[in-house]
């Protein structure tokens, strides 16, 4: 039915008493996500969300008491690497970091460590993971996707919403939508998620949403050609972006000739991926 | 954030990397007196944050202080790729025996720093990668361990550096790596690193790009930002935490999210229009931020139409609607606009816009088509 | 016939042109160890040991050219951690570090890294590994042990020689002798080596040589009780060492009450280990 | 190498850890003037490198500068566990509300640094571990990542520190850890870390042990070594790179290798003797080192016999034999000796000793038995 998160996901919210953490924890709970605990150092012992969710000082305390198996992070950027490491050290197998603006060197260090210690990180700077009808971990609006068999993976945030919304209007359902984040150093790549969708019996096909910068889409194309049996559709943003200009976030730098949208689209097409000309046309190219 | 050559050199020098004696100057007479202090031949180098200074004539030799003054006068009057030159670096000229490349940057694929060295310095490393990739050597650095001596020696051996310079080279590589990590840089580069006539290694040029996200812990670097090198709208955008890039088209656009902003530009182009800018208002922008963003878009006189594309998630549609109306009160304009709002608090946003008789669209395609027609109509007027 | 090293061991000597490295490389070659390369940065291209052994600038260069599968390190203490990391990074599966006096923090960092990257380290501050009649990697004198079926593992240097010599005088042969080194942070523990001997069909019994400090012997005793089927004999040095005095090297500090020889001996005895009163008596207690 | 309290405090203070105002003094009048500067009540603390100063009366309060002078006079005249007090630290007295323990050291088992905290400060941590282990909390630190904030917070939460002090505590923990790594310490400890009447955290005592093997990269720490705190033979031994520990017996011994040296002591004891010392000449010792070692052994007037046990590996037996004879020429002594030499160049070593009519033994047991008899004979004379 899904990958990564489902009805069995027992969610911990790091930064639950912050403005964003609190807002989105409320949204997630309303969606039906099984939130079991929050962590805010110094606020352990409080209860939030109508007194239903206990707040802990430390992840290890929260995890031991509540059996959380997933954590979503809403702490400020300068504390994000520490929060990721704390979650990994607390034995949380799936960590979703929403926080934007995490320094690259913090991420390189944190990622090197957690990879060696067996936790999976989604993000940072990502909208999270949504399994429609089951679990919403992150900030993807819950009302723009219906359950189904299309897997969606994206480096982008609101562009993902645009695609989900376009699918929904055509009554096309989604198994799981994974926003892997737009930062140069992230925890989970297109490849990782494509492999999961390929193995998921409830996913029939995949929509990949890429953008300029890096070579992630090219490597995804290679993986699709070599390892995917399920059909893949795609959209790549940034055809009109000028080379060598920074477009909003670090993932969107055109790095010296490579990283161009046109090259990415060509690579995907040659791997048999049907590429939509614009996000509204995604429903036309899915199988 | 890019640093100027003279700034990067100062930093590298703090990490034990030898640089030519020299100083930055803002006027030709200042350049002359630096040349007098240094004695002998000097190089006068324009300090602008774009590549291709050399080809543009922005780097010139001067044999005497008065020649340095003359050359500086010319350089300070020129533009490099549209950027006016406001400062020159006056360095003593070195006798160059060999030119090496040495740089460290982030490798997205390996999710680690990578150090690159080549015996072919003095030309752009992308060029080396293209024409003689066999002369380019790279090592992946484990971020938790840092650059190890043996790795630096591996690079020295690979580029066939003469052995008596290995120890010095290892010191430079470690200095460069430490400068890179301690400054939270995304790029630290010496090109060329030269072997001088008297057998020393000196960094003749220096480039450094610092991670904007890490500036909060580097007050000293944040102060190095050269605001003169930014166009006023970019500067204004940064003040409000907006990402703005001016482009050459006539359809202004304001979007939440970088990916969606690029997609919006792509769709405009697809329907025959030309985007005037990239503008990402980010997540959760309030009314004042939206107003500031609109002001920036309209400051571009090329703009003939404006497209708003907001997919509310963290961002609330009613806030955006209010921001647009607030801005329109301050900026009197006759540029036509179309708004596409979806998501969080959509109904309330739509109501506010309807009350103000704003033109709206139901989908991104529709909004883009409308914006293109509006711009075309206005042109034909 | 042995653990860790045998006739198939293709040895690289890091620091081969140094005084100690050269002396012991000569000894090892005379013993019959298959030395394939040396590494001394800046001396790549030279040939040593009667022009038979090529010297390389880097481990990776040496390993690629010669297929070395083991490295022995004789570099000065301040360069030892770097040499260990270079060997691991060069893909050498077994690294034996003879160097004494390596700073503890260097070792903690190096060990953390190489453990995560799949190389085994013996030492530092150890005499190395000797498989009599097959391969000598390190500085254990070759003429004090004959081939046989007793596995020897020790934290000490010359005390190990004393025990080997005592065994040899009684014509008792050794499968492999492993000096794991006396430093507080080392690559391979008693437990690791005991497990290897337990699995080695050519080892019938084990002699363990411990000393005061730490709790390695106690943990070895626990392991022996729980997992060893082969008989174990032991000697623990330091019965007369006063508490809280440093006896020569860092491994020999009695740490506040625990770490005493008497406690270690008691632990070993209760695990069924026959403990000799002095090294000369080891041959009396082996099975 | 152990540091004095005042030295450790200076270091901790450089890492942002609050310490009481105070200064070290070598004379009572100096102590008085420090007390005058500080004003108010002071604590006068003996600076010796052993534990148990408090119980021995080496830490005393003084209400006035003249009382400080008086107390300092007494303390500077005393010995703590046999060590004369040469310096006192005069610190302003703090009002103590609570006492905490915080320390970081190497965990052999985990092969990583470990940080330990307890709400029960002011007593020895071993004591806490014994009587109330449930009040002791430890975290293992990944050496490549260092101490993370969340780990320090975990300790703060575990010892039930009041929340308004968490941030300060985290800063202290990180300062302590950084002091530990940057000084290549094997132990860095604050006991007690106190909460004062005005709600601040202050390090009232400080202990630091530095890794001797890392002193090569810490010239500033190497200079802190207090040679006065070492007995002359230990000092002499260090000069020659020897490890020497004086003991109470009468049989001197010189051995190569720490493990073998301890085993040799054990065997002496087993045959009814008492070792006079531990002495490891290390690997590859030459004749001069051996001679120096013998001089140190014989400087102990309790010594009635000397046992040499050398298992030649790196060390060459002939070199050792020559060293013994060289030393015997310089030091005229009638203390009987027995030599056991085996291994590298054994034959040559034996020949040299035979020529000089030295008593030799074939095995360690034999050598020990001989040494014990020699000592007993000499006693009975």
């Amino acid at each position: 039915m899904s990958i990564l998160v489902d009805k069995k996901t027992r969610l911990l919210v790091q930064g639950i008493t912050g403005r964003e953490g609190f807002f989105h924890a409320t949204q997630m709970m309303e969606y039906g996500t099984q939130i079991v605990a929050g962590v805010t150092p110094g606020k352990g012992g409080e209860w939030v969300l109508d007194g239903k969710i206990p707040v802990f000082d430390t992840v290890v305390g929260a995890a031991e008491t509540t059996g959380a198996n997933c954590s979503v992070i809403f702490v400020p950027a300068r504390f994000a690497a520490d929060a990721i490491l704390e979650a990994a050290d607390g034995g949380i197998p799936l960590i979703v970091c929403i926080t934007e603006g995490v320094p690259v060197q913090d991420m390189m260090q944190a990622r090197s460590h957690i990879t060696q210690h067996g936790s999976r990180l989604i993000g940072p700077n990502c909208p999270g993971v949504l399994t429609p009808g089951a679990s919403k971990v992150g900030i993807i609006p819950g009302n723009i996707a219906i359950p189904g068999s299309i897997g969606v993976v994206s480096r982008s945030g609101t562009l993902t919403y645009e695609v989900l919304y376009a699918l929904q209007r055509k009554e096309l359902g989604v198994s799981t939508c994974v926003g892997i984040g737009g930062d140069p150093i992230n925890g989970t790549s297109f490849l990782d998620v494509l492999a999961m969708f390929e193995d998921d019996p409830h996913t029939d096909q995949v929509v990949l949403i890429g953008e300029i910068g890096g070579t992630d889409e090219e490597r995804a194309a290679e993986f699709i050609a070599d390892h995917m049996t399920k059909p893949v559709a795609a959209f790549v943003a940034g055809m009109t972006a000028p080379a060598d200009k920074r477009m909003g976030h670090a993932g969107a730098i055109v790095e010296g000739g490579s990283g161009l949208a046109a090259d990415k689209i060509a690579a995907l097409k040659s791997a048999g991926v049907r590429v939509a000309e614009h996000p509204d046309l995604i429903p036309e190219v899915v199988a | 954030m890019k640093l100027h050559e003279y700034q990067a050199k100062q930093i590298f020098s703090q990490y034990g990397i030898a640089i030519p004696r020299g100083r930055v100057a803002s006027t030709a007479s200042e350049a002359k007196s630096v040349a007098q202090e240094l004695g002998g031949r000097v190089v006068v180098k324009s300090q602008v944050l774009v590549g291709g200074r050399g080809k543009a004539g922005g780097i010139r030799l001067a044999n005497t202080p008065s020649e340095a003054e003359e050359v500086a006068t010319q350089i300070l009057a020129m533009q490099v790729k549209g950027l006016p030159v406001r400062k020159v670096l006056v360095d003593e000229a070195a006798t160059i025996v060999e030119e090496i490349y040495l740089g460290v940057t982030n490798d997205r694929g390996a999710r680690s720093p990578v150090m690159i060295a080549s015996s072919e310095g003095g030309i752009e490393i992308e060029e080396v990668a293209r024409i003689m990739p066999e002369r380019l050597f790279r090592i992946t650095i484990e971020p938790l361990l840092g650059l190890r001596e043996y790795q630096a020696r591996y690079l020295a051996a690979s580029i066939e550096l003469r052995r008596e310079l290995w120890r010095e080279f290892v010191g430079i590589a470690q200095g460069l790596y430490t400068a890179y990590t301690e400054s939270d840089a995304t790029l630290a580069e010496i090109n060329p690193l030269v072997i001088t006539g008297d057998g020393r290694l000196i960094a003749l040029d220096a480039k450094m790009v610092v991670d904007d996200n890490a500036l909060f812990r580097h007050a000293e670097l944040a102060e190095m930002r050269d605001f003169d090198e930014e166009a006023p709208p970019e500067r204004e955008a940064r003040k409000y935490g907006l990402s703005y890039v001016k482009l050459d088209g006539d359809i202004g656009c304001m979007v939440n999210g970088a990916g969606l902003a690029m997609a919006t530009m792509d769709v405009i182009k697809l329907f025959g229009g030309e985007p005037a800018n990239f503008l990402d208002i980010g997540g959760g922008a309030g009314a004042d931020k939206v107003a500031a963003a609109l002001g920036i878009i309209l400051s571009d006189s090329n703009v003939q139409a404006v497209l708003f594309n907001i997919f509310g998630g963290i961002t609330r549609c009613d806030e955006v609607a209010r921001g647009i109306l607030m801005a329109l009160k301050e900026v009197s304009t006759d540029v036509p606009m179309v708004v596409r709002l979806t998501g969080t608090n959509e109904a309330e946003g739509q109501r506010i816009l309807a009350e103000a008789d704003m033109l709206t669209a139901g989908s991104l395609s529709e909004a883009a088509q409308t914006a293109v027609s509006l711009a075309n109509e206005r042109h034909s007027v």
Side-chain angles (χ1 to χ4, degrees), chain A, chain B:
Chain A
M1 191 183 107
S2 61
I3 61 168
L4 294 166
V5 303
D6 57 26
K7 287 207 172 289
K8 290 193 292 274
T9 298
R10 296 176 63 79
L11 187 67
L12 173 69
V13 181
Q14 287 177 260
I16 197 166
T17 59
R19 202 176 60 93
E20 285 203 25
F22 186 79
F23 175 76
H24 288 289
T26 308
Q27 301 277 105
M28 288 186 277
M29 194 154 79
E30 279 170 10
Y31 192 77
T33 305
Q34 206 186 156
I35 300 184
V36 296
V39 167
T40 298
K43 302 214 169 168
E46 295 183 10
W47 289 77
V48 292
L49 300 179
D50 301 329
K52 289 187 197 126
I53 307 298
V55 180
F56 294 81
D57 285 318
T58 62
V59 170
V60 71
E64 279 173 6
T65 310
T66 66
N69 57 17
C70 179
S71 180
V72 63
I73 294 173
F74 287 100
V75 306
R78 65 185 70 188
F79 307 122
D82 205 57
I84 292 168
L85 290 166
E86 179 172 9
D89 199 17
I92 304 291
L94 178 65
I95 304 163
V96 179
C97 183
I98 307 303
T99 307
E100 179 180 348
V102 185
V104 176
Q105 303 216 1
D106 287 9
M107 274 314 301
M108 288 196 291
Q109 296 205 345
R111 180 155 201 296
S112 171
H113 180 76
I114 66 163
T115 304
Q116 290 156 10
H117 291 78
S119 290
R120 169 168 296 288
L121 171 70
I122 310 277
N125 188 18
C126 81
V129 185
L130 173 70
T131 292
S135 188
K136 163 179 145 94
V137 173
I139 62 173
I140 300 173
N143 59 349
I144 57 172
I146 50 174
S149 61
I150 302 177
V152 177
V153 58
S154 171
R155 280 168 70 189
S156 184
T158 46
L159 176 54
T160 315
Y161 310 164
E162 190 75 57
V163 171
L164 289 176
Y165 190 54
L167 290 170
Q168 190 196 42
R169 272 177 303 177
K170 301 285 182 187
E171 290 174 8
L172 293 165
V174 167
S175 57
T176 299
C177 172
V178 185
I180 60 170
D183 276 7
I185 309 295
N186 58 16
T188 295
S189 67
F190 277 144
L191 269 56
D192 300 323
V193 180
L194 288 172
M196 289 183 233
F197 280 137
E198 176 70 14
D199 290 344
D200 175 34
H202 301 280
T203 298
D204 292 340
Q205 57 178 320
V206 179
V207 171
L208 180 150
I209 303 157
E211 60 185 36
I212 54 168
T215 53
D216 290 1
E217 290 75 9
E218 285 85 341
R219 282 188 283 164
E222 214 172 291
F223 181 84
I224 292 164
D226 295 347
H227 303 288
M228 296 276 294
T229 60
K230 298 178 182 177
V232 180
F235 172 72
V236 179
M239 278 301 283
T240 47
D244 226 19
K245 286 268 191 182
R246 174 183 268 258
M247 294 286 146
H249 60 68
I253 302 170
V254 178
E255 288 160 328
S258 116
L260 289 171
D263 292 344
K264 293 170 181 297
I265 291 170
L268 288 165
K269 281 187 172 165
S270 77
V273 174
R274 285 147 304 138
V275 181
E277 274 196 307
H278 66 78
D280 286 353
L281 297 177
I282 279 284
E284 321 284 313
V285 295
V286 296
Chain B
M1 179 184 99
K2 282 186 193 172
L3 298 186
H4 280 297
E5 175 193 3
Y6 77 93
Q7 295 168 325
K9 275 185 174 167
Q10 280 163 9
I11 292 171
F12 289 178
S13 148
Q14 285 160 22
Y15 289 91
I17 298 170
I19 56 170
R21 291 187 308 134
R23 229 175 48 240
V24 77
S26 304
T27 64
S29 68
E30 211 183 321
K32 183 186 184 182
S33 67
V34 176
Q36 266 159 345
E37 274 172 46
L38 294 173
R41 286 207 316 168
V42 297
V43 198
V44 183
K45 308 174 83 175
S46 56
Q47 298 296 291
V48 281
L49 296 177
V50 287
R53 292 176 301 168
K55 279 184 198 147
I59 299 177
R60 308 227 340 240
L61 271 170
N63 289 306
T64 63
S66 19
E67 209 178 313
E69 183 176 24
E70 197 179 305
V71 165
T73 307
Q74 291 165 18
I75 292 180
L76 284 166
M78 70 188 276
Q79 293 202 337
V80 178
K81 291 191 183 161
L83 282 175
V85 179
R86 291 191 169 86
K87 282 177 186 147
V88 291
L89 175 62
V90 183
D91 268 357
E92 66 178 347
T95 49
I96 300 171
V97 177
E98 277 175 53
E99 292 183 300
I100 294 166
Y101 172 90
L102 186 67
V104 57
T105 186
N106 309 329
D107 181 340
R108 282 160 169 264
R111 293 171 167 117
S112 295
V114 60
M115 185 169 266
I116 300 170
S118 172
S119 54
E120 308 304 308
I123 51 175
E124 288 205 6
I125 195 65
E126 290 80 3
E127 197 64 8
V128 178
R130 212 171 49 79
I131 359 175
M132 32 188 173
E134 75 286 356
R135 297 275 174 89
L136 192 150
F137 299 90
R138 34 190 300 150
I139 43 161
T140 299
I141 299 166
E142 161 56 48
L144 295 176
L145 275 177
L147 177 74
R148 307 295 311 196
E149 280 191 29
Y150 75 86
Q151 297 182 303
R153 281 199 308 263
Y154 167 81
L155 289 177
S158 300
I159 63 170
E160 294 175 27
L161 184 69
R162 11 195 240 254
R163 289 201 163 123
E164 61 271 27
L165 291 174
W166 280 22
R167 187 182 298 261
E168 205 175 327
F169 179 85
V170 167
I172 290 170
Q174 291 194 313
L176 187 66
Y177 182 75
T178 311
Y180 158 87
T181 52
E182 292 192 351
S183 308
D184 269 297
T186 56
L187 173 74
E189 186 182 81
I190 307 174
N191 189 18
L193 174 67
V194 302
I195 305 179
T196 60
D198 53 347
R200 290 177 311 135
L201 285 167
I202 290 189
L204 270 209
D205 200 353
K207 195 185 273 183
M208 202 158 173
V209 183
V210 174
D211 183 356
D212 285 314
N213 288 335
L215 284 178
F216 69 86
R217 56 188 172 208
H218 301 287
E220 76 298 349
L221 292 175
E223 273 172 24
M224 286 188 183
R225 188 184 293 280
D226 187 348
F227 290 102
D228 290 343
E229 293 275 322
E230 273 183 319
E234 265 90 352
R235 209 154 60 206
E236 182 77 2
R238 178 196 317 286
K239 214 172 72 186
Y240 285 93
L242 305 164
S243 289
Y244 173 85
V245 178
K246 189 187 162 351
L247 302 170
D248 298 329
D250 55 1
I251 300 177
C253 41
M254 184 193 307
V255 189
N256 64 330
L260 188 58
M262 287 190 289
T264 303
M265 287 155 55
D266 293 350
V267 178
I268 289 170
K269 180 101 174 180
L270 205 66
F271 288 109
E274 285 290 343
N277 63 275
F278 166 93
L279 198 161
D280 171 15
I281 58 168
D288 54 336
K289 213 164 171 179
V290 173
L294 186 58
I296 291 165
I297 292 174
L298 293 175
S299 72
D300 176 358
S301 60
N302 291 341
V303 169
Q304 301 298 331
V306 177
L307 186 164
F308 299 84
N309 184 20
I310 303 299
F311 207 114
I314 313 186
T315 311
R316 294 166 50 185
C317 291
D318 56 331
E319 281 276 348
V320 172
R322 265 188 285 272
I324 295 170
L325 300 187
M326 190 198 288
L328 288 177
K329 262 179 218 154
E330 286 167 28
V331 195
S332 82
T333 179
D334 57 355
V335 174
M337 303 182 183
V338 57
V339 188
R340 187 271 184 136
L341 278 181
T342 311
T344 312
N345 291 12
E346 176 179 338
E348 175 69 2
Q350 297 286 7
R351 196 191 55 74
I352 294 169
L353 294 177
E355 268 180 21
D357 285 329
M358 294 286 295
L359 192 60
T360 60
S363 74
L364 171 51
S365 312
E366 192 193 321
Q369 278 169 300
T370 307
V372 172
S373 318
L374 291 172
N376 287 347
E377 279 167 31
R378 197 142 184 272
H379 274 295
S380 55
V381 172

